[in-house]
Amino acid sequence: MKTRCTTVSINKAINTQEVAVKEKHARTCILGTHHEKGAQTFWSVVNRLPLSSNAVLCWKFCHVFHKLLRDGHPNVLKDSLRYKNELSDMSRMWGHLSEGYGQLCSIYLKLLRTKMEYHTKNPRFPGNLQMSDRQLDEAGESDVNNFFQLTVEMFDYLECELNLFQTVFNSLDMSRSVSVTTAGQCRLAPLIQVILDCSHLYDYTVKLLFKLHSCLPADTLQGHRDRFMEQFTKLKDLFYRSSNLQYFKRLIQIPQLPENPPNFLRASALSEHISPVVVIPAEASSPDSEPVLEKDDLMDMDASQQNLFDNKFDDIFGSSFSSDPFNFNSQNGVNKDEKDHLIDQLYREISALKAQLENLKTESQRAVLQLKGRINELEAELAEQQHLRQQAADDGEFLRAELDELKKKREDTEKAQRSLTEIERKAQANEQRYSKLKEKYSELVQNHAGLLRKNAEVTKQVSVARQAQVDLEREKKELEDSFQRISEQAQRKTQEQTEVLENLKQELATSKQELQIVQGSLETSAQSEEKWVSQIAALEKEQGSLVNAMARREEEYSALQEQLEQTQLKLSSTQESMCQLAKNQRKKLLVESRTAAEQVIREALRQLEEPTLISCAGSADHLLSTVKSVSSCIEQLEKCWSQYLACPEDISGLLHSVTLLAHLTSDTIFHGSTTCLRALPEPADISCLASPALTEACKQYGKETLIYLAFLEEEGTLENVNSTDMRNCLSKISAIGEELLPRGLDIKQEELGDLVDKEMAATSAAIETATARIEEMLSKSRAGDTGVKLEVNERILGSCTSLMQAIQVLIVASKDLQKEIVESGRGTASPKEFYAKNSRWTEGLISASKAVGWGATVMVDAADLVVQGRGKFEELMVCSHEIAASTAQLVAASKVKADKDSPNLAQLQQASRGVNQATAAVVASTTSGKSQIEETDNMDFSSMTLTQIKRQEMDSQVRVLELENELQKERQKLGELRKKHYELAGVAEGWEEGTEAAPPALQEAVTDKE
């Protein structure tokens, strides 16, 4: 039920009437999006509306869609993104209309697309753009780059809003009160949404610019300030103009911007900024939004009030009185005065009852209106409460998301703290390990000192032991000396001494072992100490070397930087001098080239009056070809001049064009002065009139060329160089040259032979070119087409290729037959003399060859259009018939002078039959392809009613009569064209009027065409 109400409201809100959208319908659409939590119903209804064919309908759609994006459910944006490309296409389509609602719809659709893109990129911004300062800071994520980009996007958004604002005002006639008309209100109603958006965008832009100026230099934000100033001026003017319109005064309270824009260079100016607030009064509503009684309600009210009136009447006068109110049946005897009195009394009572009835009606209508107004207010409050509830739910979701983010941040912080604690614990362990190593080192030092003391004591003991050994040796010597005297006594003492000595030796060995152990420990401690000392010394030495190297590098860097600055200064000065020198050289070359060109043209003008040119004779066709070359040279010169102005380094093309223009101008003047001498003697009056005019035109052209070259010396823009006068002179020369062209006698008799060979060669070349183009079209069709279209294209192009091959065989056979005719008929004369002698026959060959080549070219063009789907099958059929007729004319012209038993003639006739068969194949393939394609386009009459079929039948009969009338006219036109063609062909080929009939070639061609 709710979906049906929403659908009805959408259809009532978006209609073709040029009135403003009713608020109750728009409010129902907004409530519908909140009920279904999306915009599927809205788009399903809108897709059935003809938005592309009615501008008012599209305008009201934009208004309703803008309201939904602002106040509808948040999912409206998600459901509408899939239609963004369709809105862009519709905007481009309406942009082609410059009047009415066309431009308004185009700009409004662009605004809606911009709004959708903005809210897609910035999902934190709601559709109505209402945000607090904290939410605005969170939207930028405390990143100056995000704030910078957000400001640019707001500028673009506000620019689209202002563009729509300005366009609506420009479309209104402000000289009269347009805001009180329905058409004016229809255009002004959407501006309420625009004013609401602009107030928020202006406020956010000011706050973001102050934030950016606090983080970035002022020069970086110069572009932002300039753009803000421009939009500030426009918005202030539009707000002022809107506030003066009667339509807005009771619907919306528009704020006024300050006289001067904020000074972003002064940070304290932010406190002076006052956010503009748009106020929509609670009692304000458009006239269309007021409660209106429906027709059924009024009918019900009238019926109830009528029943109330009848009841009151019965209560006063009785039920029987209502059937006989004046009691005429029982009061026939009453006099007339009593009756009149009674009637007056009844009339007064009826008047009083009517007054009471009117009061009751008024009170009941007022009560109904109040109740319906109260219902609308309650519905609006309900929608607002639901909107606030949804907004609170969205805020709750946002806060929950923030809470989750804060929890994640807290977890990350706890992890960081744990990692910091672990790092501190590791640092403490390292510090303890260092202190232990330090204690160990001090202990080693103390052990080393103790070992040194022990070493001194052991050394002392060793010296004592050595002294004792010396004493023992001395005593031994004394005992040995007295051994002989007291050998027996000393033997025992000697043994004792020996034992004592062995004990002492054992003690000495033990002492030596202890000494070696002490020395080993001493050496180990000494080595460890030397290692630490050497490492410390190496580190100190390396530190000193690094400090010295850094000082040297800094000195070298400063020296190199000074050298670089000097080198850059020298290089810049050298480049400037070289650029100036190159510029002077280019200017000098241009001046010299222009001077040389002027000398060439002046020399040609001077020689124009010399008598030596009187004996020279020029041709008009040569003059016309020279004039065409001059025209193309002028275009090339203008192009090179524009390139030179854009890039002065590229001067080669300009110099070449100036030199070429000078020589071509000289040739034009020379040939123009001598062309008059080639005119025929018959139109002597034309030649006499054209000769001085052509000479004068050549002189004027030379002067204009000199003036044009003089402009090239000035370093100005392209507008200073104007070649219009030169072109006018060339047009005049071309017109006079065309008048001097010979009519039908421009070919000399001795040139006919060469012309026949040239035309036959040109025809062969045209056939080969046509065959190549058909092959190219066939390959393209195979690459790009499929199905029935590819089959039809292959069949048609294949038959065209076969026709071209048959024509090529025919041309070869015609050449062979012509050689045989010339060789058999010329005798002792040359081929050129034979062609000159039989000039009429020769001209027939030339005409037939030209017709074949032209027909092949036209046929290829028609086939190309048919393959592309832009041509007609009938054109291809006519072209094939025309080629067959032209080849028949060529055959007839070739066999006029041929021997009947000639094999070349038989071969030519066989080739002609091949051409006819190929032509029939082309027509057949074209006809079948046409029918095959038309079968796919059969009409479907199954869904049409009897009336519609009858209407279509009448239209078809009218179309048949029109086509029959056009067919008759085209047949008459074709007959007249054929008559004129025969006359022109007779003049061109020299037929004698009244004495000779048309040649057989032309007769056979006519027969083939018909």
Side-chain angles (χ1 to χ4, degrees):
M1 186 64 183
K2 293 180 180 179
T3 304
R4 182 175 177 277
C5 294
T6 304
T7 303
V8 172
S9 298
I10 293 171
N11 288 320
K12 288 184 178 180
I14 305 175
N15 53 40
T16 58
Q17 298 179 2
E18 194 174 1
V19 296
V21 177
K22 292 184 179 181
E23 288 295 329
K24 63 178 182 179
H25 298 324
R27 185 164 52 248
T28 304
C29 296
I30 294 171
L31 292 175
T33 60
H34 287 282
H35 286 315
E36 67 173 342
K37 300 187 183 301
Q40 292 86 358
T41 303
F42 173 76
W43 283 109
S44 64
V45 176
V46 168
N47 287 332
R48 296 193 295 268
L49 298 177
L51 300 180
S52 301
S53 59
N54 193 302
V56 176
L57 194 69
C58 183
W59 175 256
K60 299 180 80 170
F61 155 73
C62 295
H63 185 191
V64 176
F65 185 41
H66 196 174
K67 280 180 169 289
L68 293 183
L69 289 177
R70 278 188 52 83
D71 302 324
H73 194 272
N75 290 334
V76 172
L77 178 62
K78 298 178 182 178
D79 296 338
S80 304
L81 288 176
R82 70 185 67 175
Y83 302 100
K84 187 168 63 173
N85 294 329
E86 297 180 6
L87 296 180
S88 300
D89 297 338
M90 198 184 306
S91 175
R92 285 193 295 271
M93 187 272 294
W94 285 117
H96 296 296
L97 298 180
S98 58
E99 297 180 356
Y101 282 88
Q103 288 293 328
L104 296 178
C105 293
S106 176
I107 295 174
Y108 207 164
L109 289 169
K110 290 180 182 177
L111 170 60
L112 295 176
R113 180 181 171 88
T114 303
K115 183 177 181 66
M116 293 168 65
E117 292 176 350
Y118 179 81
H119 289 290
T120 303
K121 293 180 182 178
N122 305 283
R124 293 178 182 267
F125 283 81
N128 55 9
L129 296 175
Q130 293 181 0
M131 295 180 68
S132 62
D133 293 342
R134 181 180 62 82
Q135 292 175 338
L136 183 62
D137 294 336
E138 292 173 353
E141 298 178 355
S142 301
D143 189 355
V144 67
N145 296 320
N146 294 340
F147 285 121
F148 191 92
Q149 182 63 28
L150 185 61
T151 308
V152 174
E153 293 174 358
M154 284 189 178
F155 279 143
D156 297 337
Y157 191 177
L158 186 57
E159 187 69 28
C160 293
E161 300 273 4
L162 295 177
N163 192 13
L164 177 61
F165 217 139
Q166 187 67 41
T167 307
V168 171
F169 273 108
N170 293 337
S171 66
L172 297 175
D173 185 8
M174 292 301 177
S175 61
R176 54 193 182 92
S177 301
V178 293
S179 64
V180 297
T181 63
T182 57
Q185 292 177 0
C186 182
R187 299 192 183 193
L188 291 173
L191 295 185
I192 296 176
Q193 313 300 319
V194 176
I195 292 171
L196 293 171
D197 289 343
C198 289
S199 62
H200 292 299
L201 291 174
Y202 168 76
D203 184 30
Y204 300 154
T205 305
V206 172
K207 293 177 180 178
L208 289 178
L209 283 176
F210 273 110
K211 185 178 294 294
L212 288 174
H213 278 79
S214 64
C215 302
L216 297 176
D219 296 339
T220 306
L221 301 172
Q222 182 63 41
H224 280 50
R225 290 197 299 274
D226 295 340
R227 195 170 182 185
F228 174 81
M229 289 295 296
E230 180 182 358
Q231 294 184 354
F232 173 80
T233 306
K234 290 182 181 179
L235 185 61
K236 180 180 178 182
D237 178 61
L238 293 174
F239 274 7
Y240 176 74
R241 294 171 64 183
S242 302
S243 61
N244 294 328
L245 292 178
Q246 187 66 29
Y247 176 70
F248 290 122
K249 287 185 178 179
R250 61 188 182 85
L251 296 177
I252 188 172
Q253 183 177 348
I254 303 174
Q256 297 297 325
L257 299 183
E259 290 294 331
N260 298 319
N263 185 8
F264 299 109
L265 301 178
R266 185 166 57 89
S268 60
L270 178 60
S271 59
E272 303 173 1
H273 170 66
I274 300 175
S275 300
V277 179
V278 179
V279 179
I280 299 179
E283 68 277 1
S285 62
S286 63
D288 295 330
S289 65
E290 294 178 359
V292 179
L293 292 176
E294 299 294 339
K295 185 177 179 180
D296 297 337
D297 298 337
L298 292 176
M299 293 174 63
D300 295 339
M301 183 180 294
D302 292 339
S304 61
Q305 290 175 356
Q306 183 65 32
N307 294 330
L308 180 63
F309 174 74
D310 293 340
N311 294 331
K312 286 183 175 291
F313 194 88
D314 293 339
D315 293 339
I316 295 172
F317 300 102
S319 59
S320 62
F321 191 80
S322 61
S323 61
D324 189 9
F326 300 104
N327 199 11
F328 288 143
N329 296 325
S330 60
Q331 296 294 333
N332 292 329
V334 183
N335 57 16
K336 186 177 181 180
D337 294 336
E338 291 178 355
K339 291 180 179 179
D340 293 338
H341 179 70
L342 182 59
I343 290 170
D344 293 337
Q345 183 179 359
L346 292 174
Y347 274 127
R348 285 194 299 273
E349 291 178 356
I350 290 172
S351 301
L353 291 173
K354 286 184 178 179
Q356 293 178 3
L357 180 62
E358 291 296 331
N359 292 331
L360 288 173
K361 286 183 178 180
T362 305
E363 291 177 358
S364 61
Q365 289 179 356
R366 187 182 299 110
V368 169
L369 293 175
Q370 289 178 355
L371 291 174
K372 288 195 173 183
R374 183 58 180 168
I375 290 172
N376 292 331
E377 291 178 0
L378 292 175
E379 288 179 352
E381 291 179 0
L382 178 61
E384 185 177 1
Q385 292 297 328
Q386 290 178 351
H387 179 65
L388 292 176
R389 184 184 64 185
Q390 183 65 30
Q391 188 174 3
D394 295 339
D395 292 339
E397 293 178 358
F398 179 71
L399 291 174
R400 282 195 293 272
E402 286 187 348
L403 181 60
D404 294 337
E405 291 180 358
L406 291 175
K407 289 181 178 179
K408 291 181 180 178
K409 290 182 179 179
R410 186 180 66 183
E411 292 176 357
D412 295 339
T413 305
E414 291 177 354
K415 290 180 181 179
Q417 289 179 354
R418 287 196 295 270
S419 61
L420 181 61
T421 305
E422 184 69 20
I423 291 171
E424 290 179 352
R425 186 179 60 77
K426 291 182 179 179
Q428 291 177 358
N430 292 330
E431 187 175 359
Q432 291 176 0
R433 189 180 295 109
Y434 174 73
S435 61
K436 290 180 179 179
L437 289 174
K438 188 176 180 181
E439 293 176 356
K440 190 68 175 177
Y441 176 71
S442 61
E443 184 178 355
L444 288 174
V445 172
Q446 293 176 0
N447 292 334
H448 178 64
L451 290 173
L452 288 176
R453 288 193 296 271
K454 289 181 179 180
N455 189 19
E457 292 177 356
V458 170
T459 305
K460 189 175 181 181
Q461 291 177 2
V462 168
S463 60
V464 172
R466 286 179 180 177
Q467 186 65 35
Q469 186 177 4
V470 172
D471 294 338
L472 289 174
E473 289 178 354
R474 187 176 61 250
E475 289 179 356
K476 182 180 178 181
K477 289 179 180 180
E478 291 176 357
L479 290 173
E480 287 178 355
D481 292 339
S482 60
F483 178 70
Q484 294 177 0
R485 291 189 305 267
I486 54 172
S487 57
E488 294 177 353
Q489 296 178 1
Q491 186 174 2
R492 187 179 59 255
K493 291 182 180 179
T494 303
Q495 292 177 352
E496 293 177 356
Q497 291 294 328
T498 303
E499 292 176 359
V500 173
L501 183 59
E502 288 176 357
N503 293 329
L504 290 175
K505 286 181 179 181
Q506 291 178 357
E507 292 179 0
L508 179 60
T510 304
S511 299
K512 285 182 178 181
Q513 290 178 356
E514 292 178 357
L515 179 62
Q516 289 177 359
I517 292 171
V518 172
Q519 286 179 352
S521 61
L522 182 62
E523 289 177 357
T524 301
S525 60
Q527 288 177 358
S528 61
E529 183 179 3
E530 289 176 358
K531 182 178 180 181
W532 286 105
V533 172
S534 62
Q535 288 181 356
I536 294 172
L539 291 174
E540 291 178 352
K541 185 177 180 181
E542 184 178 359
Q543 181 181 5
S545 63
L546 289 175
V547 171
N548 296 330
M550 184 176 67
R552 288 195 302 271
R553 295 294 183 223
E554 289 179 353
E555 293 177 357
E556 292 176 357
Y557 175 73
S558 60
L560 289 174
Q561 193 171 8
E562 292 178 358
Q563 292 179 2
L564 179 61
E565 292 176 355
Q566 294 176 0
T567 306
Q568 287 178 350
L569 291 175
K570 291 180 181 180
L571 180 60
S572 60
S573 61
T574 304
Q575 287 179 350
E576 291 177 358
S577 61
M578 290 298 292
C579 290
Q580 186 64 30
L581 181 60
K583 183 178 180 182
N584 295 335
Q585 290 292 334
R586 289 193 297 269
K587 187 175 181 181
K588 184 177 179 182
L589 287 174
L590 181 59
V591 171
E592 291 177 356
S593 177
R594 185 188 60 81
T595 305
E598 290 178 351
Q599 289 178 358
V600 171
I601 296 172
R602 289 194 179 96
E603 183 65 20
L605 291 175
R606 185 182 62 79
Q607 291 180 359
L608 189 62
E609 303 296 336
E610 289 186 1
T612 57
L613 298 177
I614 296 175
S615 60
C616 300
S619 61
D621 54 350
H622 194 135
L623 176 62
L624 292 176
S625 63
T626 308
V627 169
K628 290 181 181 179
S629 300
V630 173
S631 299
S632 60
C633 181
I634 291 174
E635 294 177 358
Q636 182 66 23
L637 178 59
E638 290 180 347
K639 183 178 178 181
C640 294
W641 178 248
S642 61
Q643 292 178 356
Y644 171 71
L645 292 179
C647 181
E649 290 79 8
D650 187 8
I651 197 174
S652 59
L654 181 60
L655 296 178
H656 174 71
S657 299
V658 170
T659 306
L660 181 60
L661 177 64
H663 289 287
L664 290 177
T665 301
S666 177
D667 293 342
T668 302
I669 295 171
F670 176 77
H671 289 296
S673 63
T674 59
T675 298
C676 302
L677 301 178
R678 287 296 301 271
L680 293 176
E682 286 81 9
D685 51 346
I686 298 176
S687 178
C688 294
L689 292 175
S691 178
L694 182 59
T695 305
E696 190 63 28
C698 292
K699 290 181 181 180
Q700 183 64 27
Y701 169 64
K703 294 178 182 178
E704 293 297 337
T705 306
L706 292 175
I707 295 173
Y708 180 80
L709 292 174
F711 277 115
L712 293 181
E713 186 178 1
E714 302 176 0
E715 294 184 356
T717 59
L718 189 60
E719 288 76 7
N720 295 334
V721 183
N722 190 0
S723 61
T724 305
D725 297 333
M726 294 173 61
R727 296 183 187 274
N728 293 334
C729 293
L730 288 175
S731 301
K732 187 175 180 181
I733 293 172
S734 299
I736 298 172
E738 290 177 356
E739 292 178 358
L740 295 177
L741 280 174
R743 298 295 183 261
L745 298 176
D746 52 340
I747 302 175
K748 294 182 179 181
Q749 296 294 328
E750 59 269 22
E751 296 175 357
L752 284 175
D754 296 335
L755 188 57
V756 170
D757 296 334
K758 290 180 181 178
E759 288 299 333
M760 295 299 290
T763 303
S764 299
I767 296 300
E768 293 175 358
T769 304
T771 304
R773 285 187 60 190
I774 291 173
E775 292 293 333
E776 182 181 0
M777 286 188 286
L778 184 57
S779 62
K780 288 183 179 178
S781 178
R782 288 172 178 171
D785 298 332
T786 57
V788 177
K789 187 175 181 182
L790 177 59
E791 181 182 356
V792 171
N793 292 342
E794 286 181 347
R795 191 183 306 131
I796 293 175
L797 294 177
S799 60
C800 291
T801 304
S802 301
L803 177 59
M804 292 301 165
Q805 293 174 355
I807 294 172
Q808 201 163 11
V809 172
L810 178 68
I811 291 173
V812 173
S814 177
K815 287 182 179 179
D816 296 338
L817 183 59
Q818 289 173 22
K819 290 180 182 179
E820 180 182 350
I821 293 171
V822 172
E823 291 297 328
S824 62
R826 68 185 179 92
T828 59
S830 63
K832 292 185 178 180
E833 292 174 353
F834 177 82
Y835 283 122
K837 183 179 179 180
N838 301 275
S839 61
R840 188 170 301 170
W841 175 73
T842 305
E843 289 171 356
L845 287 177
I846 294 172
S847 177
S849 299
K850 288 182 179 179
V852 172
W854 175 80
T857 305
V858 173
M859 180 178 177
V860 172
D861 295 336
D864 190 8
L865 293 176
V866 168
V867 170
Q868 293 178 5
R870 296 186 288 109
K872 298 179 180 179
F873 291 95
E874 291 79 5
E875 292 180 1
L876 192 56
M877 297 179 186
V878 172
C879 290
S880 62
H881 286 302
E882 186 68 26
I883 289 179
S886 301
T887 54
Q889 181 183 355
L890 180 61
V891 171
S894 299
K895 72 179 182 180
V896 167
K897 293 183 178 293
D899 188 8
K900 295 182 179 180
D901 299 329
S902 174
N904 290 327
L905 178 59
Q907 187 177 0
L908 179 62
Q909 291 174 347
Q910 182 66 27
S912 177
R913 286 191 290 271
V915 170
N916 291 332
Q917 293 176 0
T919 303
V922 171
V923 174
S925 62
T926 305
T927 305
S928 63
K930 179 182 178 183
S931 61
Q932 191 172 0
I933 289 178
E934 288 176 352
E935 286 177 359
T936 60
D937 298 330
N938 291 332
M939 297 182 63
D940 184 14
F941 302 101
S942 60
S943 61
M944 298 178 64
T945 62
L946 179 61
T947 305
Q948 292 175 346
I949 292 176
K950 187 64 176 177
R951 179 65 179 175
Q952 293 289 338
E953 182 181 357
M954 294 176 63
D955 293 339
S956 298
Q957 291 177 356
V958 172
R959 183 59 179 164
V960 168
L961 294 175
E962 290 177 353
L963 292 176
E964 288 178 352
N965 188 16
E966 291 179 2
L967 177 61
Q968 185 178 0
K969 292 181 180 179
E970 288 297 327
R971 284 176 174 170
Q972 293 177 357
K973 182 179 178 181
L974 178 61
E976 295 296 329
L977 288 174
R978 283 177 175 173
K979 289 181 181 179
K980 190 63 177 177
H981 175 256
Y982 299 153
E983 293 175 2
L984 293 177
V987 173
E989 297 180 7
W991 303 344
E992 296 178 1
E993 298 179 0
T995 60
E996 292 185 0
L1002 189 58
Q1003 291 176 2
E1004 186 172 341
V1006 172
T1007 303
D1008 290 341
K1009 286 183 181 179
E1010 295 178 351

